[in-house]
Amino acid sequence: MESSEHDGRHDFDFLFGRWEVTNLKLASPLTPGSHDWVEFSSSVETGPVLAGLGNVDRYRSATFPDRPGWEAVALRLFDPGARTWKIWWASTAVPGDLDTPVIGGFAGDHGLFECEDLLDGRPLKVRYEWSEVGSPSPQWRQSFSFDDGRSWQTNWTMAWRRA
C-alpha cells in the first residue's frame, strides 16, 4: 500500500496561492453546437483546509459576462479510503445553490472528475479536466454530455498563471 504522502491527498497542492485566470466560456452552454465564446478574467486564491484533506478556491471577477462583481468558490475534499476527490462549486450566478460534486482523481498530470446532474431540468453529465498541472500555466476545462457520455462539448476553459 502506498504511503499517505502519495495517495492523492496532495494532488491539488499545485494550486495553493494566488492566480490570474483567463476564462473562455460558451455564452449558451445548453445549446448544442453553440460556438459563441465570451472571454473574461478572474483572480483566484487557493488554500488548504481540514489538515490538508481539502482546499478552497475563491474566485472574483469584475468582468464576468452580465454579472459584474461575480464571486464563486470551489470546495475540494479528499476521501483517503477511496483515494478520490469530490469537488463542489457555488457562485453568485445561482445564489443559494451548491452544485452536485464531480468525483475523480489524477493520473500523472491529468485530472478527470465527473458526475451526473440536472441543469435547467435537463439531465447531463458534467466533466472537469485538469492538465499541465506541473507547468507554470495549469489548464482547466468543463464539458457537458447530453448523450450519456458518448460525446462531450467543452463549455468553459481556464488558463491559470501565478499572480
Side-chain angles (χ1 to χ4, degrees):
M1 182 170 166
E2 288 181 79
S3 76
S4 64
E5 292 301 312
H6 297 94
D7 66 359
R9 71 183 69 209
H10 296 286
D11 285 347
F12 282 103
D13 288 5
F14 73 93
L15 278 181
F16 295 168
R18 294 183 180 178
W19 297 86
E20 295 299 322
V21 177
T22 300
N23 298 265
L24 287 172
K25 189 173 185 312
L26 276 181
S28 301
L30 297 179
T31 303
S34 176
H35 297 289
D36 183 19
W37 291 90
V38 292
E39 182 174 336
F40 65 98
S41 62
S42 60
S43 61
V44 182
E45 188 167 345
T46 303
V49 296
L50 304 174
L53 289 174
N55 54 70
V56 174
D57 293 344
R58 184 165 182 190
Y59 297 78
R60 291 187 177 94
S61 177
T63 59
F64 190 99
D66 301 321
R67 294 187 182 106
W70 174 82
E71 290 188 37
V73 294
L75 170 64
R76 299 180 193 91
L77 298 177
F78 184 71
D79 178 343
R83 294 185 177 202
T84 59
W85 285 91
K86 291 181 182 174
I87 306 170
W88 289 265
W89 176 263
S91 79
T92 55
V94 187
D97 278 358
L98 186 63
D99 285 356
T100 302
V102 293
I103 302 170
F106 280 85
D109 71 348
H110 182 256
L112 184 63
F113 310 86
E114 295 181 343
C115 74
E116 294 183 8
D117 206 353
L118 284 173
L119 192 53
D120 289 342
R122 188 172 180 183
L124 73 158
K125 288 186 181 255
V126 178
R127 175 182 283 174
Y128 292 178
E129 289 184 83
W130 280 97
S131 61
E132 301 179 47
V133 299
S135 79
S137 184
Q139 306 292 309
W140 174 89
R141 75 175 167 199
Q142 173 181 272
S143 302
F144 291 162
S145 174
F146 299 101
D147 59 10
D148 202 33
R150 289 185 297 278
S151 65
W152 294 88
Q153 181 174 4
T154 299
N155 58 61
W156 193 342
T157 66
M158 293 181 180
W160 297 58
R161 66 194 171 284
R162 289 273 173 206

